[in-house]
Amino acid sequence: MRPRVIAIDGPAASGKSSTAALVAHRLGWAHLDSGALYRAVTLAVLDNLGEPGALKESLAVPGSGATWPVQQIVALAEELPVRLVLVRDVFRPEVAGVDVEEPIRSDRVTRRVSEIAAIREVRHWVNVQQREAVLGHPRGVVVDGRDIGTVVFPDAPVKVFLTASPAERARRRLAQRGGRIDPDQLRREAETLAARDHADATRPVAPMKPAADALLLDTTQIDLEEQVRQVLALAREKLPG
Ligand code: DC
């Protein structure tokens, strides 16, 4: 049986999570932000294992140039544990029983998360958590990330890949944080996003890319409501009953 999943992939700040949350809400489904799980693992590593390089026995992570104690990362995630908890139809990340939705958005985590997400063993662990979450949900789950339609749920009946120009994504990210936006800030933010996208799209394991059967949606010129409308229209067409 095909999983009751709507897969929404795309680069950083393309509007995936906002779109996924609204689509889930309108359908009465749950929302799972897979990036939050990678961020929660990163937070757990930084808080418990320290910065890479500080540990003598650490192993090199292929493709990342960094060093992390790979086996310890998954063991740590299991032991603490890092997990997803369903609260009013939103899967929220927890570390050792504490909700970490806020600290996982810090710059400290954002700077290191692509390295953690490049580790094959971590991806396998995260994918198991996602599949269990979906299996345990009675209705359906809108899952957003980078590899949802390609690797985690290749049989998802509805797949969307959202994009937007780097400048527009940088503008949205800064607008979310509030305050005035100057051109220098905008340029720096666009560079940071581009570096993360490059790391996510060129890693050897599950690189970010659109699934062959995904709807490609460029949101540079359209607003959130229109994005949601288009995803819901596709869902009505593809979902049984
Ligand atoms: O969506 P986000 O920016 O919160 O994701 C954080 C990082 O996690 C991102 O740099 C890439 C990684 N990620 C991933 O590799 N695969 C996913 N399915 C989701 C996120």
Side-chain angles (χ1 to χ4, degrees), residues 16-175:
K16 298 182 305 285
S17 284
S18 319
T19 305
L22 278 169
V23 168
H25 184 69
R26 305 252 167 102
L27 290 173
W29 283 22
H31 173 214
L32 193 165
D33 166 5
S34 61
L37 208 42
Y38 287 104
R39 287 172 177 274
V41 174
T42 306
L43 179 70
V45 167
L46 290 172
D47 285 351
N48 292 277
L49 302 179
E51 295 285 329
L55 288 135
K56 284 201 189 71
E57 69 278 25
S58 60
L59 304 168
V61 177
S64 79
T67 53
W68 295 92
V70 176
Q71 303 311 331
Q72 279 184 46
I73 296 175
V74 174
L76 183 73
E78 281 286 320
E79 276 158 27
L80 282 167
V82 176
R83 59 188 195 123
L84 290 169
V85 179
L86 189 61
V87 181
R88 286 187 294 278
D89 271 340
V90 178
F91 284 96
R92 296 184 65 100
E94 270 190 2
V95 176
V98 177
D99 187 290
V100 291
E101 181 54 45
E102 205 183 308
I104 61 168
R105 309 288 161 193
S106 65
D107 280 350
R108 174 174 166 253
V109 170
T110 302
R111 271 199 303 274
R112 309 307 305 233
V113 63
S114 283
E115 288 165 45
I116 294 289
I119 303 171
R120 186 182 301 276
E121 290 84 346
V122 171
R123 300 201 71 81
H124 176 76
W125 185 86
V126 165
N127 292 350
V128 170
Q129 313 307 308
Q130 294 184 69
R131 293 183 185 123
E132 280 177 2
V134 164
L135 267 179
H137 196 273
R139 290 183 301 281
V141 185
V142 185
V143 187
D144 72 88
R146 304 292 190 289
D147 63 340
I148 309 306
T150 50
V151 174
V152 190
F153 297 106
D155 295 334
V158 182
K159 298 181 188 178
V160 180
F161 193 89
L162 291 186
T163 55
S165 72
E168 175 59 16
R169 290 190 283 123
R171 193 197 60 73
R172 287 179 193 168
R173 186 46 55 97
L174 292 175

